[in-house]
Amino acid sequence: MRSKTFKQSFFKILLISLFFLFHNYTGLWAEHQFQKTLETRYSTIQYSKEAQILDFGKKIRRDQQAFYPTPEKDRAVVSLKDNVDDIVDRVKRLLDINPKDFRFTIYIFNSYAGLENAYLEHGMLGVAPIAFYSHNSRAIYLTIERLNPGVFAHEVAHALINVYFAVPPPADMQEVLAQYVDRNLWDE
């Protein structure tokens, strides 16, 4: 009997130790992935390569032709900042939510595998979506691969909803509101 409880205790300690070891390893990995930062009125964008930020700008444009590609990088960055903030303003109007001092972080991952790692690191289970919002970190996590303005606006809606309400609505209700934003982003 005594050896059984010892084995159970040992096994629990081993599992907890492995969890923290894995958690710290992925946390360190994720921390070093983002070496560059870009500030907008509402967000701080974390990324690792210039190409990522330029692709992000192209993907969230309503009109792909209006985005200025490199070599006029400075113009492209200004355009990107305006586009991010324009989408946030549109989401705020659609939901009629305007929290004071609203800010969030956007993490752009190199690959879906990086996004999956972040999803697990936040304690979320199942298959990682193409993008997600974490209220604990007040951050949107995404990759460029399947991004579009609706996906980005959907995650901004989650950010606004979670910041605005003292007790955020249930996940199903948030999803209804975020899908409404996704479908009606350009209606005006």
Side-chain angles (χ1 to χ4, degrees):
M1 180 81 146
R2 190 172 191 188
S3 71
K4 185 177 182 181
T5 55
F6 174 77
K7 286 180 184 177
Q8 288 175 338
S9 297
F10 177 77
F11 186 70
K12 286 180 185 176
I13 291 170
L14 180 64
L15 281 177
I16 291 169
S17 299
L18 287 173
F19 171 78
F20 283 110
L21 179 67
F22 176 77
H23 181 75
N24 287 338
Y25 174 74
T26 58
L28 289 173
W29 173 85
E31 196 175 294
H32 294 295
Q33 183 174 3
F34 308 103
Q35 299 129 0
K36 300 176 187 262
T37 302
L38 181 66
E39 297 285 333
T40 78
R41 194 170 29 148
Y42 297 113
S43 68
T44 301
I45 305 170
Q46 300 281 329
Y47 61 102
S48 61
K49 301 176 194 166
E50 291 297 321
Q52 279 181 311
I53 201 71
L54 295 172
D55 286 345
F56 177 71
K58 290 175 189 174
K59 293 279 191 148
I60 65 167
R61 286 289 311 168
R62 180 180 189 177
D63 175 10
Q64 300 278 326
Q65 299 303 317
F67 184 79
Y68 304 106
T70 39
E72 297 193 43
K73 188 180 133 248
D74 291 340
R75 211 165 152 193
V77 168
V78 169
S79 176
L80 165 68
K81 289 178 175 183
D82 291 345
N83 292 333
V84 168
D85 291 339
D86 178 53
I87 288 176
V88 173
D89 285 333
R90 286 174 177 278
V91 174
K92 288 167 80 174
R93 280 193 305 273
L94 280 167
L95 295 176
D96 196 19
I97 294 177
N98 194 12
K100 187 179 180 191
D101 300 325
F102 176 64
R103 290 212 40 91
F104 61 96
T105 303
I106 302 166
Y107 291 99
I108 303 174
F109 285 87
N110 292 325
S111 67
Y112 181 73
L115 181 74
E116 282 179 311
N117 242 353
Y119 192 71
L120 293 172
E121 191 173 299
H122 281 84
M124 299 179 195
L125 303 174
V127 177
I130 58 175
F132 71 94
Y133 172 76
S134 168
H135 186 55
N136 290 338
S137 60
R138 290 193 180 213
I140 294 172
Y141 299 81
L142 54 84
T143 63
I144 302 299
E145 296 161 2
R146 293 174 51 197
L147 184 66
N148 62 52
V151 168
F152 179 63
H154 180 106
E155 299 309 326
V156 170
H158 282 294
L160 276 166
I161 292 163
N162 279 275
V163 167
Y164 184 74
F165 292 100
V167 177
D172 289 343
M173 177 57 83
Q174 287 189 42
E175 204 52 38
V176 168
L177 293 170
Q179 288 175 10
Y180 169 79
V181 165
D182 186 352
R183 282 191 306 272
N184 297 288
L185 181 62
W186 303 118
D187 295 352
E188 280 186 321

